Amino acid sequence: SATVLPASGTALTANTIYAVADAVGTYAFTPPATGWAHGTFTTGSSVSVSFSGTFVGAAPTIEASKAYEFDVFDGVWAVQEVVSA
């Protein structure tokens, strides 16, 4: 488990669950070289987030002041906004 993302543009650590404590502003997600990563993050009031790799479904539009969950395996992302019922 990790509560902090690596530097923007640096590969996520393989086989790690991220529960990011601080809001994400500008960040470039990069998948681990092998394996998987899973996590949740919230965005700040000003946000510019990107993902390198491909997506299951459509690439997400990341908006300010929202919560998101991601999974990545072998460079393929699944990213979705977390909404309450």
Side-chain angles (χ1 to χ4, degrees):
S1 289
T3 58
V4 177
L5 293 168
S8 181
T10 301
L12 298 175
T13 302
N15 308 324
T16 300
I17 296 172
Y18 290 88
V20 180
D22 295 330
V24 174
T26 299
Y27 193 79
F29 281 89
T30 303
T34 61
W36 58 269
H38 169 81
T40 58
F41 65 95
T42 57
T43 54
S45 58
S46 177
V47 63
S48 175
V49 173
S50 63
F51 296 85
S52 63
T54 58
F55 289 91
V56 172
T61 299
I62 305 297
E63 298 177 5
S65 304
K66 294 194 176 187
Y68 293 89
E69 184 170 11
F70 68 84
D71 285 291
V72 61
F73 178 70
D74 288 344
V76 179
W77 296 91
V79 181
Q80 180 132 356
E81 180 183 352
V82 176
V83 294
S84 57

